[in-house]
Amino acid sequence: MRTFSVLLIWACLALEADSMAFFRGLAKKESEGQRRSDGGGLRRSKRGWMWKQFFLQEEYTGTDYQYIGKLHSDMDREDGSVKYVLTGEGAGTIFVINENSGDLHATRSLDREEKAFYTLRAQALNRSTGLPLERDTEFIVKLHDINDNEPKFEKDVYTASVPERSNIGTSVTQVTAQDADDEMFGNSAKLVYSISQGHPYFSVEPHTGIIRTALGPADMDREQRDKYQVVIEAKDMAGQRGGLTGSTTVNIVLTDVNDNPPRFAESIYQFSVPELTNTGSVVGRIKAVDADIGRNAEMDYTVVGGDGLEVFDITTNRSTQEGVLTVRKPLDYERKKFYTLQIQVQNTHPDLRFMFPNPKDVATVRVSVEDVDEPPQFGRFSYVMEVKEDAAMGTTIGSVSAVDPDVKRKPVKYIIDRHTDVDHVFNIHEGKGSIYLQRPLDREETAWHNISVIASELDNPQQSSRASVYIRVTDINDNAPVLASFYEMFVCENTKEDQKIQTITAVDADEPISGHRFKFGLAAESTVNANFTVRDNGDNTAGIYTRRAGFGRLQKSTHLVAVVITDGELPFQSSTGTLTVRVCTCDRHGNMEMCNVEALSSAAGLSTGALIAILLCVIILLLIVVLFAALKRQKKKEPLIVSKEDVRDNVVSYNDEGGGEEDTQAFDIGALRHPEVIEESKQRRDIIPSESLYPPPPLRRTAVPTRDNADVRDFIDQRVLDNDSNPTAPPYDSLATYAYEGNGSVAESLSSLGSASSDGEQDYNYLSEWGPRFRKLADMYGGEDSDWDC
Ligand SMILES: *[C@@H]1O[C@H](CO)[C@@H](O)[C@H](O)[C@H]1NC(C)=O
Ligand SMILES: *[C@@H]1O[C@H](CO)[C@@H](O)[C@H](O)[C@H]1NC(C)=O
Ligand SMILES: *[C@@H]1O[C@H](CO)[C@@H](O)[C@H](O)[C@H]1NC(C)=O
Ligand SMILES: *[C@@H]1O[C@H](CO)[C@@H](O)[C@H](O)[C@H]1NC(C)=O
């Protein structure tokens, strides 16, 4: 069994160069079988001791090659017959081997932080044969760390904040530094934090880098100082002398807490406000000072006392935190000239941890009311007065009064706003304010006079105010009652005695408070030889009754009955109304049958205008009847029109035989066809082709072949002429379609049966002609001698 052993020489470097020591070890012999059973196990990871490792100091500064170790095969009898060969990472460049002695060197300085180890393979060959003496073996060159990296903080500058007045030891933030050196080896990466700036406010935990407050709440006051710059250092080598350091800056801000109450800058504030200031207007602003900021400086103002407690309000302007003093109730200089208010201020969001000795502050606000020249003021906003409609000129109706509220009590002058009394019905005493009548009144014409009265200062008309005066004109009985309407009445010739022929009533323009009470009676001139009586019903109506039987129409055609109507108010007013009673012939039931001629015409009760209207109606009716008859006659000639609604579309009728399969006009076979063809057939039916405007559709089979059609032309000309001269033809343009077989047809009929044998379209000889004057109405003639229609 052949064995291969590698002599490992490894150097262990202490930190100081002079304390460098070399250790030598011998690699354990390994049998090939053992390695095989390891499955090519060159990494024996479970072993705590890495035998196949060479160690090399990083950052070597020497000028010659750095010696790493020696490879040796026990087949080597040191006679120069063995040749060592190196392969793997950096072989030949970074690492070189002496092929005779097996000495391994590094050609240049290496950085562990760049690459911590290199994996290489070595082999011993028979120099003369070039054959390997052993299987090649793998080994590792590991770089030995030196403290060549200083700690580095994650950020150059940290920012952090901590509430002011925090307890001692409150955590602010944590800073961490990293050291690139080997953490597993020595202290090169073992860091210790310390604070180099920021004493005595803050401290740092040496091993965690947590920054904490180092002073108590009393000393951490934002209002004193709110910004701190703290410098933290991290030192490796566990903080020992000779370690490398890195540092960072931490900007710490103290955040606000509500540790200050608002305070008024002054104890007394003074404002003045004109007396006529509207309610809600601002009188002034006061502001308390709060050392805190933001939400902690929000404050509420309240009026807590003083004689102006009810008169003023204070609110907080949230953007400025000012107390805004406003007027709540109207001010009157003449009544009260000064007000005193106690205004209190306190924080909106107090912090219960900071119980101030007095969280509220109170200030006094003095408000003086300034005098304003005010217009005179009426005792009332409006006045209601009454005056009898028959009041004499100059009668005083009532009076208004206004006083100047100012201290000086300036004299007042009254006038009537003439816009409200354009007719100068009223006037007012300039100095006294008494309103008197200047023109006669009529309640029946104007029942209310609503006027405006203006009171102004005598020497300053600008200072004025106005009041409404509602003058009601009260009724007096100055109108006589009259018949409520013109009564049309008649009496039958064969009437009996004491027959009621009419009920009458009356109207009166006056408006008595207790309502109307009319009395009816016969006038003196009608009582002699009276033929009628008037019976008062006691309810403002009366009945007219016959007094005798038998009135002769021919004897006396009309009777006049004079009725006296009296009202019930003092002074009594009465009038006489005359009723006309016609004598007429009646049937047994008392229905009027015949009166005298003048009676009839007037009985009809129609004016000439109405008669003319009726006459016109009759004429129009007659015309309609005539027109209807004419249309009806015409319609009889149109048996093919199925519906009147769309005459233009209905030039196609369906009760025909049809022209065969090509006769798309006769019935729609579109449903059986290609959509394109359907489209085409639609076009044919709906669009009126006009040669001048549209090119003829490609399949326009209705087009008349121009040759050999003299008889057709004649036929059309004749029809056009007929239509033009037809008195029953409609007065507008219409479309007339004719079916004409032509005289050259072989068949008697143009039915599809007859045409089946013919070989061309033209044989159909059917046509549709659009006469210039025939556009709208299809006038269709189904010829008796033709058995097809189109
Ligand atoms: C090298 O090979 C030669 C020829 O085969 C042999 O004589 C010699 O012993 C070998 N050397 C070693 C060290 O095996
Ligand atoms: C608060 O005061 C400011 C400045 O005087 C003003 O512009 C703003 O309109 C006020 N806000 C209110 C709600 O009155
Ligand atoms: C005048 O005032 C009275 C009472 O308010 C009212 O009834 C009447 O309609 C008014 N007349 C006119 C013309 O405004
Ligand atoms: C009553 O009728 C008679 C006869 O018709 C007539 O003569 C007489 O004048 C009438 N009386 C009055 C008051 O019209």
Side-chain angles (χ1 to χ4, degrees):
M1 178 155 297
R2 301 176 66 181
T3 57
F4 174 70
S5 64
V6 178
L7 181 71
L8 292 172
I9 301 165
W10 53 279
C12 183
L13 282 126
L15 283 162
E16 266 104 328
D18 55 353
S19 65
M20 193 189 292
F22 290 92
F23 299 90
R24 182 170 298 191
L26 196 67
K28 192 180 173 223
K29 281 191 179 175
E30 280 182 319
S31 68
E32 274 191 61
Q34 194 181 348
R35 281 196 286 179
R36 221 176 278 126
S37 69
D38 283 341
L42 298 171
R43 280 155 293 174
R44 308 200 50 167
S45 56
K46 285 208 169 164
R47 297 179 87 158
W49 204 243
M50 296 286 284
W51 285 106
K52 286 189 180 175
Q53 283 183 344
F54 289 97
F55 282 89
L56 178 66
Q57 188 193 353
E58 64 165 336
E59 308 288 355
Y60 174 71
T61 51
T63 49
D64 49 348
Y65 286 2
Q66 192 181 3
Y67 180 72
I68 299 170
K70 191 179 181 70
L71 295 171
H72 185 77
S73 167
D74 52 7
M75 305 286 283
D76 186 358
R77 286 182 293 274
E78 310 225 343
D79 54 2
S81 60
V82 175
K83 179 183 172 186
Y84 293 95
V85 177
L86 188 69
T87 54
E89 293 174 316
T93 54
I94 300 171
F95 302 103
V96 290
I97 196 162
N98 184 316
E99 58 174 50
N100 293 319
S101 64
D103 287 337
L104 190 62
H105 283 90
T107 57
R108 58 175 171 86
S109 155
L110 294 173
D111 185 5
R112 188 197 68 87
E113 284 73 36
E114 196 180 295
K115 187 163 169 60
F117 62 88
Y118 298 82
T119 309
L120 295 160
R121 304 181 85 83
Q123 198 160 33
L125 307 174
N126 185 328
R127 187 181 295 273
S128 54
T129 60
L131 292 171
L133 293 171
E134 308 276 348
R135 286 185 57 157
D136 65 344
T137 187
E138 188 181 81
F139 63 96
I140 288 168
V141 176
K142 201 163 184 184
L143 286 164
H144 201 285
D145 186 44
I146 61 162
N147 188 16
D148 58 343
N149 288 282
E150 77 268 5
K152 278 208 172 66
F153 283 95
E154 282 158 1
K155 295 187 212 164
D156 287 339
V157 178
Y158 289 81
T159 54
S161 65
V162 65
E164 62 169 328
R165 306 226 182 245
S166 292
N167 287 327
I168 188 164
T170 302
S171 164
V172 180
T173 187
Q174 183 173 20
V175 293
T176 38
Q178 303 292 339
D179 193 310
D181 289 323
D182 194 350
E183 284 172 32
M184 310 299 288
F185 184 78
N187 288 330
S188 298
K190 201 162 205 169
L191 304 181
V192 167
Y193 299 96
S194 62
I195 184 162
S196 68
Q197 185 186 316
H199 278 300
Y201 305 99
F202 298 96
S203 63
V204 66
E205 282 184 6
H207 298 295
T208 60
I210 293 173
I211 299 170
R212 295 183 184 278
T213 56
L215 288 182
D219 299 306
M220 299 295 275
D221 186 5
R222 188 198 66 85
E223 284 74 35
Q224 300 290 324
R225 181 179 169 185
D226 62 342
K227 286 193 183 76
Y228 295 87
Q229 195 171 61
V230 174
V231 177
I232 303 291
E233 276 185 0
K235 190 170 186 180
D236 60 14
M237 300 307 293
Q240 301 286 308
R241 262 165 56 89
L244 301 173
T245 58
S247 69
T248 188
T249 304
V250 187
N251 290 323
I252 298 173
V253 174
L254 295 191
T255 55
D256 190 49
V257 298
N258 194 357
D259 57 343
N260 291 284
R263 289 282 176 253
F264 282 112
E266 290 158 53
S267 60
I268 294 176
Y269 294 85
Q270 203 105 32
F271 296 110
S272 65
V273 58
E275 58 173 325
L276 291 185
T277 304
N278 291 331
T279 54
S281 301
V282 176
V283 176
R285 292 180 172 83
I286 57 175
K287 187 162 182 359
V289 180
D290 191 321
D292 294 320
I293 52 167
R295 189 182 145 88
N296 295 325
E298 287 181 11
M299 46 191 122
D300 292 324
Y301 298 86
T302 35
V303 183
V304 290
D307 53 10
L309 188 65
E310 303 280 295
V311 185
F312 296 96
D313 258 339
I314 193 159
T315 54
T316 306
N317 179 327
R318 284 285 160 228
S319 55
T320 60
Q321 301 303 330
E322 286 172 327
V324 183
L325 194 65
T326 54
V327 181
R328 188 170 161 193
K329 286 186 176 169
L331 303 169
D332 188 355
Y333 171 81
E334 286 74 30
R335 229 175 54 233
K336 191 159 169 58
K337 297 180 177 59
F338 296 103
Y339 289 95
T340 310
L341 302 166
Q342 303 296 322
I343 307 286
Q344 177 190 282
V345 67
Q346 60 183 333
N347 274 135
T348 314
H349 315 285
D351 190 334
L352 297 179
R353 284 183 301 154
F354 304 99
M355 295 301 287
F356 320 117
N358 185 7
K360 298 166 180 175
D361 195 18
V362 174
T364 302
V365 173
R366 291 202 181 127
V367 182
S368 56
V369 182
E370 293 166 3
D371 191 19
V372 170
D373 188 6
E374 293 166 85
Q377 278 168 12
F378 281 98
R380 279 189 272 161
F381 176 70
S382 67
Y383 297 81
V384 179
M385 297 173 186
E386 283 193 354
V387 59
K388 288 205 165 214
E389 61 177 318
D390 64 344
M393 298 306 98
T395 305
T396 302
I397 297 159
S399 62
V400 296
S401 110
V403 241
D404 182 18
D406 295 327
V407 178
K408 286 181 193 155
R409 301 269 179 228
K410 294 191 192 140
V412 176
K413 173 187 157 182
Y414 303 93
I415 53 164
I416 287 173
D417 182 353
R418 282 300 161 201
H419 296 292
T420 62
D421 181 26
V422 281
D423 295 333
H424 290 242
V425 179
F426 305 97
N427 214 339
I428 193 165
H429 191 285
E430 265 197 13
K432 289 193 211 155
S434 50
I435 297 167
Y436 56 93
L437 197 60
Q438 201 169 248
R439 260 162 218 268
L441 296 166
D442 184 5
R443 190 205 65 84
E444 283 71 39
E445 193 186 299
T446 317
W448 284 91
H449 292 268
N450 301 345
I451 61 172
S452 270
V453 174
I454 299 166
S456 56
E457 286 176 13
L458 191 60
D459 54 355
N460 185 6
Q462 299 310 109
Q463 289 290 346
S464 68
S465 56
R466 54 173 61 221
S468 298
V469 179
Y470 302 102
I471 299 169
R472 195 168 87 93
V473 182
T474 55
D475 188 46
I476 60 145
N477 192 14
D478 54 351
N479 287 280
V482 291
L483 284 173
S485 67
F486 174 77
Y487 291 102
E488 276 295 332
M489 56 183 82
F490 69 92
V491 64
C492 292
E493 280 186 315
N494 57 353
T495 190
K496 295 197 189 86
E497 192 186 329
D498 203 27
Q499 285 285 306
K500 185 171 155 190
I501 54 170
Q502 184 76 35
T503 302
I504 59 169
T505 182
V507 287
D508 189 332
D510 291 320
E511 262 176 23
I513 300 149
S514 54
H516 291 295
R517 270 174 291 134
F518 301 124
K519 290 201 183 76
F520 300 88
L522 269 187
E525 65 260 35
S526 293
T527 51
V528 187
N529 226 342
N531 296 314
F532 301 94
T533 54
V534 174
R535 244 173 257 166
D536 195 328
N537 294 333
D539 59 352
N540 292 337
T541 65
I544 309 294
Y545 291 84
T546 55
R547 208 165 167 209
R548 61 175 173 88
F551 286 83
R553 178 161 65 90
L554 301 171
Q555 198 182 347
K556 189 169 170 64
S557 63
T558 55
H559 292 265
L560 297 176
V561 183
V563 180
V564 176
I565 311 158
T566 316
D567 60 20
E569 298 285 310
L570 281 168
F572 292 123
Q573 300 272 354
S574 68
S575 73
T576 303
T578 304
L579 302 166
T580 310
V581 183
R582 272 173 259 290
V583 183
C584 300
T585 318
C586 297
D587 63 7
R588 281 191 294 139
H589 307 293
N591 296 323
M592 183 214 292
E593 273 184 340
M594 201 216 271
C595 304
N596 275 15
V597 177
E598 82 268 28
L600 178 72
S601 75
S602 63
L606 295 172
S607 62
T608 32
L611 281 174
I612 289 168
I614 286 174
L615 215 75
L616 269 171
C617 284
V618 170
I619 290 166
I620 289 166
L621 258 168
L622 272 170
L623 276 173
I624 288 169
V625 167
V626 167
L627 223 101
F628 188 73
L631 276 172
K632 201 137 183 153
R633 199 157 70 85
Q634 209 173 7
K635 205 179 162 213
K636 279 198 178 119
K637 292 190 201 168
E638 310 165 358
L640 301 180
I641 293 182
V642 177
S643 162
K644 273 161 117 180
E645 278 164 22
D646 189 352
V647 192
R648 189 166 53 98
D649 264 5
N650 284 307
V651 296
V652 174
S653 179
Y654 300 93
N655 60 351
D656 63 337
E657 286 181 18
E661 59 183 13
E662 284 172 277
D663 186 0
T664 56
Q665 193 84 339
F667 58 90
D668 190 0
I669 57 165
L672 308 171
R673 285 184 154 197
H674 192 270
E676 270 176 39
V677 188
I678 293 172
E679 203 54 42
E680 181 186 281
S681 94
K682 273 183 195 161
Q683 195 179 17
R684 252 187 69 189
R685 295 163 115 230
D686 296 344
I687 294 172
I688 298 164
S690 159
E691 305 288 325
S692 58
L693 288 173
Y694 307 101
L699 265 170
R700 188 172 166 247
R701 301 208 282 105
T702 47
V704 187
T706 44
R707 55 208 146 93
D708 305 332
N709 280 325
D711 60 328
V712 176
R713 173 88 30 220
D714 287 349
F715 173 82
I716 289 163
D717 286 347
Q718 186 56 45
R719 286 290 173 266
V720 171
L721 197 72
D722 284 356
N723 258 296
D724 281 346
S725 53
N726 186 1
T728 60
Y732 40 79
D733 284 357
S734 60
L735 165 67
T737 306
Y738 302 98
Y740 179 59
E741 212 171 287
N743 51 13
S745 177
V746 179
E748 302 255 303
S749 158
L750 274 177
S751 76
S752 55
L753 297 170
S755 66
S757 57
S758 56
D759 53 349
E761 286 178 17
Q762 288 160 28
D763 288 337
Y764 290 94
N765 270 355
Y766 66 95
L767 65 102
S768 169
E769 181 67 69
W770 306 92
R773 293 199 53 224
F774 299 84
R775 276 286 152 88
K776 283 211 169 143
L777 188 74
D779 186 9
M780 296 193 53
Y781 289 84
E784 279 95 41
D785 52 350
S786 170
D787 61 356
W788 67 277
D789 313 292
C790 70

